[in-house]
């Protein structure tokens, strides 16, 4: 039995971390049995979520987890794709994780109102004298990372513009298909796209990036389809596009 170490539900989402969602959906796509439990970054092999334990082997990072399950269990999450389509799927995934993901984090962690009602609540159970310092430390650490990748060096409206480029690209790539690459079934990159788009669109957080995402009916409908397919019991509060 595979154990998936996760952050848990929250923020109007079945899983707080889009990277955990990506891995969980890929495990479901693969048809593998797994047990999901809350895990801390301190115990993770790469100091981040998600990570899995599989037969006493610990694997960290969603991309390497996927590589592990495909190799060990002889599974191809991109079955049916041509070599060119596989290359396109990889390029799309890098755009989502290495650009859109940081833009999403900018509005989740660095917007004062979103941070206060979201990540800032993680320290509610800490001793009261420590809470403010813990919150400040988290926000400063995230801000440092966002600045290091370049996103945090821009004006707020410029960050929205950058995120909008990726959202528009995803909408154009999706077109009127059921899934990003094919109509018939989702592939590995769909787990990545769904996870990040849901994290942006959740009604829990208010941001110009969310409003931009909601302006694309095809992306809204896509997230709704994926949510219904993989998390049918989750009360997804987002309006569904016709």
């Amino acid at each position: 039995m595979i154990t998936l170490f996760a952050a848990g539900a929250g923020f109007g989402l079945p899983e707080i971390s889009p990277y955990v969602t990506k891995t969980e959906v890929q495990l479901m796509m693969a048809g593998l049995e797994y047990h999901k439990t809350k895990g801390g970054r301190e115990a993770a092999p790469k100091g981040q979520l998600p990570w899995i334990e599989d037969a006493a082997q610990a694997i960290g990072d969603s991309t390497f987890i996927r590589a592990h399950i495909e190799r060990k269990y002889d599974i191809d999450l991109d079955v049916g794709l041509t070599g060119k389509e596989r290359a396109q799927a990889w390029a799309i995934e890098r755009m989502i994780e290495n650009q859109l993901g940081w833009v999403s984090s900018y509005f989740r962690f660095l917007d004062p109102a979103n941070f206060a009602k979201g990540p800032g609540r993680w320290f509610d159970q800490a001793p009261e004298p420590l809470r403010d310092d813990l919150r400040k430390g988290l926000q400063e650490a995230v801000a440092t990372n966002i600045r290091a990748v370049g996103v945090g060096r821009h004006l707020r409206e410029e960050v929205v513009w950058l995120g909008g480029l990726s959202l528009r690209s995803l909408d154009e790539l999706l077109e009127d298909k059921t899934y990003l690459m094919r109509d018939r079934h989702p592939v590995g990159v769909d787990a990545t796209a769904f996870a990040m788009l849901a994290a942006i669109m959740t009604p829990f957080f208010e941001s110009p990036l969310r409003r931009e995402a909601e302006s694309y009916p095809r992306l809204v409908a896509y997230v709704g389809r994926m949510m219904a397919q993989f998390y049918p019991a989750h009360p997804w509060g987002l309006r569904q596009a016709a």
Side-chain angles (χ1 to χ4, degrees):
M1 176 71 74
I2 295 170
T3 299
L4 169 63
F5 293 90
F11 305 161
L13 297 161
E15 169 57 48
I16 288 172
S17 166
Y19 302 96
V20 175
T21 301
K22 167 191 170 183
T23 291
E24 183 167 34
V25 170
Q26 289 179 345
L27 286 168
M28 288 190 274
M29 285 180 178
L32 296 173
E33 291 188 20
Y34 67 95
H35 168 67
K36 184 177 176 181
T37 188
K38 276 199 172 186
R41 291 173 172 81
E42 300 79 12
K46 295 189 176 182
Q48 62 183 11
L49 296 173
W51 60 287
I52 66 168
E53 281 188 354
D54 186 11
Q57 184 179 2
I59 301 99
D61 188 278
S62 60
T63 300
F64 287 94
I65 292 171
R66 173 183 173 176
H68 167 81
I69 64 175
E70 287 187 311
R71 182 171 56 250
K72 179 173 180 178
Y73 297 99
D74 193 22
I75 290 164
D76 182 4
L77 293 178
D78 287 343
V79 65
L81 297 190
T82 65
K84 182 177 180 179
E85 288 171 330
R86 289 170 187 267
Q88 291 170 335
W90 174 250
I92 294 167
E93 184 165 312
R94 292 304 91 213
M95 176 186 71
I96 293 169
E97 294 193 344
N98 293 358
Q99 198 267 357
L100 187 57
W102 287 110
V103 173
S104 176
S105 293
Y106 176 98
F107 289 102
R108 182 181 285 199
F109 285 88
L110 302 189
D111 180 281
N114 285 337
F115 181 81
K117 73 175 188 175
R121 301 298 302 273
W122 294 342
F123 305 107
D124 284 357
Q125 304 307 313
E128 188 170 359
L130 301 178
R131 291 175 196 169
D132 286 345
D133 285 343
L134 290 170
R135 290 176 181 129
K136 183 180 178 182
L138 172 62
Q139 200 165 34
E140 288 179 349
V142 173
T144 297
N145 288 337
I146 292 175
R147 182 174 175 81
V149 298
V151 171
R153 299 173 185 271
H154 307 307
L155 298 174
R156 181 182 173 91
E157 56 267 29
E158 292 175 331
V159 176
V160 178
W161 181 78
L162 287 172
L165 291 178
S166 292
L167 292 170
R168 184 163 65 251
S169 297
L170 286 172
D171 181 68
E172 291 290 343
L173 290 163
L174 178 63
E175 300 176 303
D176 293 317
K177 302 188 298 298
T178 304
Y179 305 107
L180 266 176
M181 304 304 296
R182 295 289 176 88
D183 259 323
R184 294 189 299 275
H185 59 81
V187 294
V189 71
D190 285 292
T192 308
F194 159 64
M196 194 61 68
L197 288 171
I200 291 168
M201 292 182 183
T202 175
F204 186 86
F205 294 119
E206 174 59 38
S207 76
L209 185 66
R210 173 190 160 194
R211 293 192 295 273
E212 178 73 14
E214 289 179 331
S215 73
Y216 293 99
R218 294 186 297 197
L219 294 183
V220 172
Y222 170 75
V223 172
R225 284 194 299 274
M226 291 288 287
M227 191 70 75
Q229 181 172 350
F230 292 100
Y231 297 99
H234 181 72
W236 183 232
L238 188 63
R239 65 178 175 82
Q240 296 299 304

